[in-house]
Amino acid sequence: MTSDSDDALSWDGDEGGAPTGPAPKKPAQPRSAPAAAGQAERPADDPALPEGWNAVGKGSAAVGHLGGEDDEEHQPLSTAMLLILGIVGGVYLLYSVGWVVGGLRLKPLANFFVADAMFLPWFVLAVAAPLLWFLASWVLTRGRAGWIRISALLLGVVLLVPWPFVTVGAIGL
């Protein structure tokens, strides 16, 4: 019996112990014909895998790869942008609450001038306006500079102030 401490790390028949260099790389597998044809020529029901995945088994030759070259790289948002989005999103949420409170406070006064059928759609639109502005500015400024997105969001902060709540407040009338 040997007392060599390396015996626990080897099997019978191992030669030379642990490898000293990096593991040899596998040769790259050639892409199948549907993968090389490109994603634009594929039918909608044709199965495809993302880069790095390989299909195995019967019929695996018919499975192609999704084109990774055409995908645009999305950069993660910076910490400052996330903070600004959170603060402005919170302001927009408070604006929606302000439109609900202010609009409900103005409803008795509005009944003197307009019917409920005219008041209700505009009330719902006023409550949803901050959310709609946030989503529109988010989608329409995608891929543009950060200052453009911030300026669009801040423009909404200025334009969507719930004036019924600001002027009348929660106690007025």
Side-chain angles (χ1 to χ4, degrees):
M1 194 164 203
T2 62
S3 62
D4 190 25
S5 61
D6 287 336
D7 284 344
L9 303 175
S10 63
W11 294 88
D12 281 342
D14 280 349
E15 298 172 340
T20 57
K25 292 186 176 184
K26 290 191 243 179
Q29 296 177 351
R31 298 180 111 189
S32 62
Q39 187 176 4
E41 300 172 19
R42 295 179 151 305
D45 60 340
D46 188 20
L49 294 173
E51 289 297 321
W53 292 82
N54 293 323
V56 294
K58 186 175 183 179
S60 63
V63 177
H65 289 283
L66 293 175
E69 303 86 28
D70 297 335
D71 297 338
E72 60 184 38
E73 293 292 325
H74 294 290
Q75 297 294 328
L77 294 176
S78 66
T79 304
M81 181 63 88
L82 285 173
L83 283 173
I84 290 171
L85 285 175
I87 291 169
V88 172
V91 167
Y92 283 160
L93 181 64
L94 289 175
Y95 277 10
S96 290
V97 171
W99 277 109
V100 168
V101 172
L104 290 177
R105 283 291 185 182
L106 283 180
K107 187 170 183 334
L109 182 63
N111 282 341
F112 286 124
F113 300 110
V114 296
D116 284 340
M118 290 176 63
F119 179 77
L120 186 63
W122 295 107
F123 174 71
V124 170
L125 187 61
V127 171
L131 173 66
L132 294 174
W133 187 282
F134 188 83
L135 289 176
S137 63
W138 181 262
V139 170
L140 295 176
T141 59
R142 175 176 270 163
R144 301 241 163 69
W147 68 270
I148 295 173
R149 179 172 281 173
I150 292 171
S151 63
L153 290 170
L154 293 179
L155 182 65
V157 168
V158 172
L159 292 177
L160 298 173
V161 174
W163 289 112
F165 181 78
V166 172
T167 57
V168 178
I171 312 171
L173 289 180

